[in-house]
């Protein structure tokens, strides 16, 4: 066998090995992407209906009130008297008396009662104080609903769910328009009590504290009237000195953390005591780990790390709870979340922060055993949220039955309550009922959100009554351990990135008050008539005119359809989608919370799911047409809602301002859904073009683009700067449009470059065997072809070339590489081009320095020839529908993605194999390997150091903004590295690896020392 034959066989074997490795990389990429779908079982609530609304009945003047004397009863009576005073008229007189089995306040949660008597004399027969106050609040609600008090005559069983908790609403939050003005503050910190807590001693602003106390008292009164009896109050470590921590105090003498804790505890203890006085439980709401700087140092000094699996670690926190409960007996327990933490929840300037450290099954179990044991001893309760959102080994505890059991099986403390959202995920529509609420031996409560953060923060009508009822009825039938609800009246998501609506104090909060009242009423009686509750809400806030009330309720019956069809793409939303080890929510095209996304990953996968929803027989366009039609149906629903509300008699409304608010919010929803309708059509037709290459689909996209741009301009002109109706953030969508507009031009450029590149290769192939080699430039083409495919002949292929050929040998691959990368990025990502070309430049310069006086042309021919072949592969992929089509295939077609990655990877590695092989004839195999390793290492070190110095998150954000691959909002809200779990030190790890290659290469490149003679 000749040397040439052996080399040829070795080259073929090497190529096959590289392709096999490329296939392995492709499969690894596909596995990492993990893009798949499965059917999702939808909730099946009854259709919303409009009840027959009776004429309003004025309440009687209350002449006699014979009730027990207690603050709790007195506050309930205040609500009843206020309701009567607020009524437009009164008719007749009535007396109310109470027969209560226990006249003093008791701990009974039996709030059943019986109402006896007639319109002129009513008697409440209650089994406890809880029954008395419930009866009085029911009478007040009846007055506000303009319904006869005698409708309540009869027996009322104890509430089905005794624990009915709220968040803190907007208590202590200042409605400062300047903080909402720009709409880009995605912090989840409420900044509650920011005016109260001061950085310097005495740490408390007394005037602000008094105002906040009144705010809190008003919130408690309102919540009690709605039927709630518990509140989640933010904070924990802020109130603890940790003087009794095992191993000694946490804070050193003179540390202001201790003084501040005492000051804050003294300031807020009256808040908690007031709640206790009114029969409202108080749970301190905290993330775990909750930390201060000194506390973190104490824990790491004592345990080496934040070792959350060590039982003694949690003794520090339980000692803090013992301290709090001893100091303020009014506190009832603590509410813990482990799944979200970090800077997005921190308040600038405060040394109180949280960290995601409780991420393993053992850590969670250890924590819960410690907290529940402490709660049992202290006669308190601990509420644990299963909201783990993808973090660590317990990341799917919220949605996965097996993970729930792994964490909680066997932890059956009577002091432990487990809290879980009713949806199988976050508070989105189209999600299944959370089946993890049907399991476990623990006490359970169900979480609801009134001001739906992902559905524009309650700025659109959104009647969740039938869904809440169906969910509760299903869950209660399946699990008798459910004993309560937790209703978020305000919280969830960023506080200042949406409309400036603050519960009870700013904006159109009355709109989402409906869901708060529905949740409370259904917790008391899951079989309550939700249509009547909606009508009562309309009467309380807007009008007592039957026709107007019916019109408002009729509008609300369409609200869910408008939201579900207008803000979601049904065919996508009704599937469970999995990607990158996570389960993206059903509303990915509107990326948390108001960002209309323009990235290829989301929109291409969404299109593919929409396309496939029609089935194999339906064709590509049928699913697209159906999805576009759904957007139009949502617009029709809002138009009908607006028509029915505007047709009401303006004089029949309690307040012209509230009528204007209702009409304005419908105008806002109509404008927004029209914008979304146009955008939906545009992105789906764009996907159809990439998928089918149909000119008709491209024409439809062009028409949709014009419609979207018109709608976008109108939307921004109308609502930009409107604090009540803020414009959606269209930056990402407009960037996506800009990229899409270039796709066809880029496709033609790619075709042109592809023809030139193929011509170069063909000339090289022909010139190797014909007289064409004598033509100008042909020798260079011949050399690149031979050196790239048979690099051991690189030196001979470059002998005798003229200067022109040498210049072409160098310039053609460089120009083709730059042009290909520019086209691949649609001339929009110079970051991408700079990193790629920079790395290649460093590689080439180091290689040139190492070659020194030897001829560089053999290695230039080998590397340049493979670069041309590599560019041909990319240009072919770009030649169909440009960069958009390139990424469309990557995200949606596993076969094409695998083939492309395998071939591209093989050619990429072949560059370095060919370079080493070409150098072998000049310096030998060992030194040639060293030259290439050193050049590769330098080419990796330099850009990695630059990226590390700038910051990986910043560089990835800039790159992604230019490329549009992942949601634009990712960096603004969560951070790309955080979301994808990329260590922040990755660039430095890469630099270190490159340095190792560089050093190893230099050592190999050193000439052998001659033995001493």
């Amino acid at each position: 066998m000749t040397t040439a034959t052996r080399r040829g066989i070795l080259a073929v074997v090497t190529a096959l090995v590289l392709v096999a490795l490329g296939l392995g990389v492709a499969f690894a990429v596909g596995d990492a992407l993990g893009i798949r779908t499965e059917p999702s079982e939808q909730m099946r609530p009854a259709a919303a209906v409009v009840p027959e609304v009776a004429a309003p009945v004025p309440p009687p003047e209350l002449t006699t009130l014979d009730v027990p004397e207690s603050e709790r009863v007195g506050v309930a009576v205040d609500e009843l008297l206020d309701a009567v005073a607020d009524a437009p008229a009164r008719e007749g007189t009535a007396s109310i008396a109470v027969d209560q089995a226990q006249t003093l306040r008791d701990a009974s949660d039996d709030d059943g009662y019986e109402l006896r008597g007639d319109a002129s004399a009513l008697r409440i027969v209650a089994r406890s104080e809880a029954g008395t106050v419930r009866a009085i609040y029911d009478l007040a609600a009846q007055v506000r609903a303009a319904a006869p008090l005698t409708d309540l005559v009869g027996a009322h069983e104890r509430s089905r769910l005794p624990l009915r908790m709220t968040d803190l609403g907007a208590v202590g939050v200042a409605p400062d328009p300047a903080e909402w003005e720009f709409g880009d503050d995605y912090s989840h910190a409420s900044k509650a009590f920011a005016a109260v807590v001061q950085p310097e001693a005495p740490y408390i602003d007394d005037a602000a504290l008094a105002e906040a106390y009144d705010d809190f008292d008003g919130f408690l009164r309102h919540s009690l009237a709605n039927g709630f009896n518990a509140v989640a109050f933010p904070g924990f470590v802020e109130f603890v000195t940790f003087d009794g921590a095992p191993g000694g105090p946490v804070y050193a003498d003179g540390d202001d953390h201790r003084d501040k804790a005492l000051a804050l505890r003294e300031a807020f203890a009256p808040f908690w005591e007031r709640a206790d006085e009114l029969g409202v439980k108080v749970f301190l709401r905290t993330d775990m780990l909750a930390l201060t700087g000194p506390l973190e140092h104490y824990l790491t000094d004592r345990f080496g790390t934040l070792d959350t699996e060590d039982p003694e670690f949690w003794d520090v926190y339980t000692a803090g709870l013992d301290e709090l409960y001893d100091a303020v007996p009014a506190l009832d327990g603590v509410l813990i979340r482990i799944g979200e933490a970090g800077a997005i929840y921190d308040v600038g300037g405060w040394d109180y922060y949280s960290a995601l450290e409780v991420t393993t099954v053992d850590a969670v179990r250890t924590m819960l055993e410690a907290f529940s044991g402490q709660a049992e001893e202290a006669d308190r309760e601990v509420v644990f949220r299963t909201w783990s959102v993808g973090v660590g080994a317990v990341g799917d505890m919220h949605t996965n039955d097996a993970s729930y059991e792994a964490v909680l099986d066997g932890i059956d403390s009577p002091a432990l309550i487990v809290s879980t959202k009713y949806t199988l995920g976050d508070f989105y529509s189209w999600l299944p009922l959370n089946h993890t609420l049907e399991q476990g031996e623990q006490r359970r409560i169900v979480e609801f959100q009134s001001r739906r953060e992902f559905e524009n923060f309650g700025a659109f009508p959104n009647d969740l009554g039938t869904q809440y009822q169906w969910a509760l009825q299903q869950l209660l039938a399946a699990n008798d351990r459910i004993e309560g609800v937790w209703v978020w009246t305000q919280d969830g998501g960023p506080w200042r990135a949406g409309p400036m609506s603050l519960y009870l104090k700013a904006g159109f909060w009355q709109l989402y008050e409906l869901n708060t009242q529905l949740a409370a009423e259904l917790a008391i009686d899951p079989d309550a008539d939700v249509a009547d509750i909606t009508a009562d809400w309309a009467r309380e806030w807007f009008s007592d005119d039957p026709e107007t009330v019916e019109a408002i309720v009729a509008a609300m019956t369409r609200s869910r359809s408008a939201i579900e069809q207008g803000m979601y793409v049904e065919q996508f939303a009704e599937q469970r989608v999995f990607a990158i080890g996570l389960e993206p929510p059903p509303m990915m095209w509107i990326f948390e919370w108001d960002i209309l996304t323009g990235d290829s990953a989301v929109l291409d996968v969404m299109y593919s799911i929409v396309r496939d929803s029609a089935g194999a027989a339906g064709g590509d366009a049928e699913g697209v047409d159906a999805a576009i039609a759904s957007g139009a149906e949502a617009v029709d629903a809002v138009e009908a809602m607006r028509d029915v509300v505007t047709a009401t008699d303006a004089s029949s409304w309690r307040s012209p301002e509230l009528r204007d608010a209702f009409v304005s919010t419908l105008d806002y929803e109509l404008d927004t859904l029209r914008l979304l309708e146009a955008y939906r059509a545009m992105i789906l037709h764009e996907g159809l073009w990439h998928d089918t290459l149909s000119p008709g689909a491209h024409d439809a996209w062009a028409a949709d683009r014009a419609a979207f741009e018109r709608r976008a301009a109108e939307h921004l002109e109308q609502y930009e700067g409107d604090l009540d109706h803020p414009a959606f953030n269209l930056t990402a969508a407009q960037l996506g449009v800009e990229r899409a507009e270039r796709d066809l031009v880029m496709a033609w450029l790619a075709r042109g470059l592809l023809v030139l590149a193929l011509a170069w290769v063909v000339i090289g192939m022909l010139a190797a065997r014909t007289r064409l080699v004598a033509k100008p430039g042909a020798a260079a083409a011949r050399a690149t072809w031979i050196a790239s495919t048979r690099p051991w002949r690189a030196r001979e292929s470059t002998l005798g070339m003229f200067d022109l050929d040498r210049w072409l040998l160098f310039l053609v691959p460089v120009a083709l590489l730059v042009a290909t990368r520019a086209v691949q990025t649609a001339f929009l990502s110079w970051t991408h081009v700079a990193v790629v070309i920079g790395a290649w430049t460093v590689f080439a310069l180091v290689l040139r320095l190492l070659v020194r006086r030897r001829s560089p042309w053999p290695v230039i021919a080998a590397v340049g020839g493979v670069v041309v072949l590599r560019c041909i592969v990319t240009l072919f992929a770009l030649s169909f529908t440009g960069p958009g089509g390139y990424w469309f295939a990557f995200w949606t077609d596993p076969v094409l993605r695998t083939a492309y990655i395998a071939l591209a990877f093989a050619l990429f590695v072949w560059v370095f194999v060919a370079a080493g092989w070409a150098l072998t004839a000049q310096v030998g195999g060992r030194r040639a390997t060293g030259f290439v390793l050193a050049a590769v290492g330098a080419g990796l070190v330099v850009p990695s150091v630059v990226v590390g110095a700038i910051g990986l998150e910043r560089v990835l954000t800039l790159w992604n903004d230019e490329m549009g691959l992942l949601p634009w909002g990712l960096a603004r809200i969560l951070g790309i590295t955080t979301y994808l779990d990329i260590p922040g030190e990755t660039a430095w790890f890469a630099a270190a690896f490159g340095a190792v290659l560089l050093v190893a290469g230099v050592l190999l490149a050193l000439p052998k020392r001659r033995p001493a003679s």
Side-chain angles (χ1 to χ4, degrees):
M1 184 181 296
T2 65
T3 300
T5 301
R6 284 198 301 271
R7 286 172 173 168
I9 292 172
L10 181 58
V12 171
V13 171
T14 302
L16 291 174
V17 170
L18 292 181
V19 170
L21 288 174
L23 285 170
V25 171
F27 289 134
V29 170
D31 184 63
L33 291 176
I35 300 173
R36 64 182 179 86
T37 64
E38 63 181 45
S40 176
E41 184 180 356
Q42 300 299 309
M43 297 189 199
R44 298 183 300 278
V49 299
V50 181
E52 184 177 342
V53 179
V57 176
E61 195 75 54
L62 298 179
T63 56
T64 304
L65 286 170
D66 181 10
V67 299
E69 292 186 8
S70 74
E71 185 66 13
R72 187 179 180 188
V73 173
V75 167
V77 169
D78 288 345
E79 168 63 17
L80 175 57
L81 295 176
D82 287 345
V84 172
D86 291 342
R90 280 157 293 284
E91 187 176 283
T93 62
S95 64
I96 297 177
V98 173
D99 289 339
Q100 183 176 295
Q102 297 173 345
T103 56
L104 299 177
R105 182 182 170 198
D106 59 86
S108 171
D109 60 14
D110 185 354
D111 60 358
Y113 71 92
E114 182 181 357
L115 185 66
R116 300 173 182 173
D118 54 30
S120 62
L122 294 169
R123 179 169 294 275
I124 298 167
V125 179
R127 297 189 285 271
S128 68
E129 185 180 54
T132 297
V133 296
R134 177 188 167 194
I136 295 171
Y137 282 124
D138 284 354
L139 289 168
Q142 200 76 350
V143 171
R144 296 197 183 279
L149 298 184
T150 51
D151 284 357
L152 293 177
V153 169
H156 298 261
E157 297 299 320
R158 66 190 301 170
S159 296
R160 177 63 177 83
L161 300 178
L163 179 61
R164 300 179 295 279
M165 183 164 62
T166 70
D167 59 4
L168 197 61
V171 172
V173 179
D176 180 1
E179 294 194 335
W180 275 262
E181 181 178 359
F182 298 105
D184 59 356
D185 180 358
Y186 289 99
S187 170
H188 286 42
S190 70
K191 300 182 185 178
F193 310 116
V196 174
V197 181
Q198 302 299 305
E200 305 295 335
Y203 305 114
I204 300 296
D205 183 307
D206 289 333
L209 180 67
E211 185 177 341
Y213 182 87
D214 291 341
D215 200 4
F216 181 66
D217 187 66
F219 174 78
L220 288 179
R221 289 171 177 266
H222 186 84
S223 298
L224 283 163
N226 276 340
F228 295 99
N229 57 14
V231 63
F233 197 101
F236 164 48
V237 296
E238 296 90 333
F239 311 118
V240 183
T241 67
F242 290 104
D243 287 348
V250 168
Y251 300 125
D253 290 342
D255 190 326
D256 65 354
H257 285 83
R258 184 180 184 281
D259 294 338
K260 188 176 291 186
L262 291 171
L264 265 63
R265 184 195 301 170
E266 182 181 357
F268 288 103
F271 289 63
W272 308 330
E273 289 162 350
R274 176 58 171 169
D276 183 66
E277 184 179 36
L278 297 181
V280 176
K281 287 186 173 183
V282 178
F283 292 90
L284 293 179
R285 177 181 174 184
T286 183
D287 288 320
M288 277 294 158
L289 291 175
L291 296 165
T292 64
L295 176 59
E296 182 171 2
H297 292 147
Y298 171 90
L299 292 169
T300 53
D301 287 346
R302 185 157 182 243
F303 298 100
T305 63
L306 295 176
D307 186 3
T308 56
E309 295 184 6
D310 186 340
E312 292 186 6
F313 179 92
W314 295 106
D315 290 345
V316 178
Y317 287 94
T318 56
L321 284 172
D322 285 334
E323 173 192 334
L324 265 182
Y325 296 153
D326 287 343
V328 191
L331 291 170
D332 294 277
V334 64
L335 187 155
I336 299 168
R337 176 179 69 176
I338 64 167
E340 291 189 58
I344 197 171
Y345 300 96
D346 299 340
V347 178
W350 291 21
D351 185 31
Y352 303 102
Y353 54 96
S354 55
L356 285 169
E357 296 290 343
V358 189
T359 58
T360 67
V361 171
D362 287 343
V364 179
R365 291 181 66 87
T366 302
M367 178 190 72
L368 291 180
E369 287 168 354
F371 277 117
S372 60
Q374 186 276 338
E376 288 183 43
E377 291 181 7
D379 193 24
R380 298 298 198 282
E381 293 170 317
V382 55
V383 180
F384 172 63
R385 297 190 62 202
T386 63
W387 187 241
S388 46
V389 292
V391 177
V394 297
D396 60 351
M397 171 177 56
H398 185 72
T399 58
N400 186 296
D401 296 346
S403 296
Y404 181 95
E405 289 300 326
V407 172
L408 287 153
D409 185 41
I411 302 179
D412 54 0
S413 168
L416 175 65
I417 304 171
V418 179
S419 177
T420 302
K421 294 179 182 180
Y422 81 102
T423 44
L424 198 69
D426 217 332
F427 290 117
Y428 292 95
S429 298
W430 295 101
L431 287 177
L433 186 65
N434 196 334
H435 46 71
T436 67
L437 275 161
E438 299 178 357
Q439 68 186 99
E441 295 303 314
Q442 296 77 26
R443 301 162 63 191
R444 304 297 296 272
I445 59 174
V446 186
E447 298 178 25
F448 296 101
Q449 186 181 47
S450 301
R451 183 180 181 260
R452 297 271 281 209
E453 60 184 290
F454 300 109
E455 293 163 1
N456 209 14
F457 296 96
F460 299 153
N462 199 355
D463 183 350
L464 291 158
T466 57
Q467 186 176 105
Y468 280 4
Q469 182 170 57
W470 184 87
L472 271 180
Q473 289 176 343
Q474 296 295 311
L475 293 171
L476 291 172
N479 188 354
D480 62 3
R481 304 288 290 171
I482 294 174
E483 61 180 60
V485 297
W486 179 23
V487 180
W488 303 6
T489 64
Q490 175 74 34
D491 211 351
W495 276 68
R496 293 162 179 82
M500 198 184 86
S501 53
L502 293 172
Y503 191 55
L504 305 184
K505 60 174 59 174
F508 194 19
W509 59 267
Q510 294 88 350
L511 190 62
Y512 55 85
E513 169 77 343
L514 170 61
N515 293 327
T516 299
Q517 293 179 345
L518 282 162
E521 292 276 2
L522 290 169
I524 293 169
D525 178 10
D527 296 321
D529 190 319
V530 294
D532 285 344
I533 297 171
T534 304
D536 291 346
W537 160 81
R539 264 194 158 143
E540 177 178 358
W541 296 108
F542 303 115
S543 174
D544 60 7
D545 175 69
E547 291 184 1
T548 299
V549 170
E550 286 186 6
I552 293 171
V553 177
M556 297 305 290
T557 62
R558 292 187 171 94
S559 64
R560 289 301 298 151
S561 174
I563 293 287
E564 290 175 344
Q565 299 299 331
M567 299 193 74
Y568 299 81
V569 178
E570 177 181 351
Q571 293 84 346
F572 175 82
E574 64 184 359
Q575 298 287 319
R576 289 187 73 180
V577 180
F578 300 87
I580 322 178
L582 302 169
E583 186 173 348
M587 188 202 278
M588 282 299 291
W589 69 316
I590 304 173
F591 187 83
E592 307 175 340
W593 283 252
D594 59 351
I595 300 171
L596 197 56
T597 198
D599 59 284
S600 61
V602 167
L603 300 183
D604 290 345
V605 171
M606 178 181 289
Y607 162 81
S608 68
I609 293 172
V610 168
R611 173 198 63 195
D612 296 342
S613 67
D620 299 315
E622 186 173 324
V624 168
D625 291 343
I628 292 173
S630 294
E633 290 171 7
V635 169
D636 291 344
V638 181
E639 287 177 338
M641 292 164 66
R642 190 187 186 283
D643 288 345
V644 74
V645 171
T646 55
T648 59
D649 183 354
S651 65
S652 68
W653 288 65
R654 293 189 188 280
S655 160
E657 292 77 16
L658 283 176
R659 185 180 190 275
D660 289 344
F662 213 122
V663 174
S664 295
T665 203
L666 289 169
D667 287 339
Y668 175 45
E669 183 175 19
L670 184 58
D671 182 89
T672 303
L673 295 194
R674 283 173 174 164
L675 171 73
L676 296 179
E677 177 190 20
Y679 191 65
R680 171 197 308 246
M682 181 185 71
I683 60 177
L684 291 177
H685 280 138
E686 180 185 354
L688 187 63
W689 175 53
H690 290 317
D691 191 18
T692 65
L693 312 182
S694 164
H698 187 269
D699 292 343
W701 167 82
D704 297 332
R705 182 201 65 204
F708 169 71
E709 289 177 336
R710 183 178 68 255
R711 290 286 186 197
E714 293 171 352
H715 180 76
L716 293 175
E717 181 180 3
Q718 179 68 30
Y719 293 109
E720 204 163 34
D722 187 332
L723 299 185
D724 293 323
H725 315 105
F728 269 45
N729 186 331
L730 304 183
T731 303
Q734 289 165 336
L735 288 172
V737 171
E738 183 181 1
R739 286 187 291 268
E741 287 174 333
R742 299 187 178 203
D743 273 338
L744 190 56
V745 173
M746 294 302 110
W748 279 108
L749 286 175
R751 293 164 194 169
L753 290 170
L754 181 60
V755 169
L756 293 175
L758 288 172
W760 182 255
V761 172
V762 170
I763 289 170
M765 295 170 66
L766 295 177
R769 298 182 179 277
T770 68
R771 293 181 180 180
L772 183 63
V773 72
K775 301 295 182 182
R782 173 183 177 274
T784 57
W785 170 249
I786 291 174
S788 64
T789 56
R790 287 152 289 175
W792 56 89
R793 294 183 56 192
R795 187 167 181 272
E796 68 176 74
S797 70
T798 58
L799 295 175
M801 288 195 303
F802 296 111
D803 287 344
L804 174 63
D805 290 308
R806 286 176 175 172
W807 278 108
L808 290 174
L809 191 69
F810 173 74
L811 290 177
V812 167
V814 170
L816 187 62
L817 176 63
V818 173
T820 300
R821 293 304 181 188
V823 170
Q824 186 179 18
T825 62
F827 292 86
L828 290 171
S829 180
W830 297 111
T831 303
H832 181 87
V833 174
V835 170
V836 171
I837 302 305
W840 278 112
T841 300
V842 173
F843 171 81
L845 288 174
V846 171
L847 209 56
R848 180 66 186 92
L849 288 173
L850 292 171
V851 171
R852 300 178 66 186
R853 298 175 185 174
R854 302 172 188 86
S855 172
W857 299 112
V859 72
I860 289 174
V863 171
V866 182
V867 166
V868 169
L869 297 177
R870 177 67 177 80
C871 288
I872 286 173
V873 172
T874 299
L875 290 170
F876 177 77
L878 293 168
S879 66
F880 294 94
T881 58
Y886 173 97
W887 288 109
F888 176 86
F890 179 86
W891 298 119
T892 67
D893 194 322
V895 174
L896 290 179
R897 179 177 65 232
T898 300
Y900 178 84
I901 291 175
L903 187 56
F905 176 85
L907 285 171
F908 176 72
V909 178
W910 181 251
V911 170
F912 309 118
V913 173
W917 217 329
L919 288 167
T920 298
Q922 294 174 290
V923 299
R926 177 182 63 82
R927 297 189 68 197
T929 302
F931 283 14
V932 173
L933 283 178
V936 169
L940 182 59
V941 166
V942 173
S944 297
V945 168
V946 172
V947 170
I950 296 172
L952 182 61
E953 181 63 37
R954 289 179 63 190
V955 173
L956 284 177
T957 297
L958 177 60
W959 175 77
N960 188 59
D961 286 354
E962 295 169 344
M963 296 291 289
L965 304 184
L966 299 173
W968 178 89
L970 208 56
R972 277 79 188 167
I973 299 168
L974 301 172
I976 294 173
T977 53
T978 299
Y979 187 79
L980 299 182
D981 199 21
I982 301 173
E985 303 82 7
T986 298
W988 297 110
F989 294 155
F993 178 67
V996 170
L997 292 180
L998 177 59
V999 171
V1002 169
L1003 292 176
L1004 287 172
L1006 293 174
K1008 285 186 177 180
R1009 296 181 62 184
R1010 296 178 180 274
S1013 56

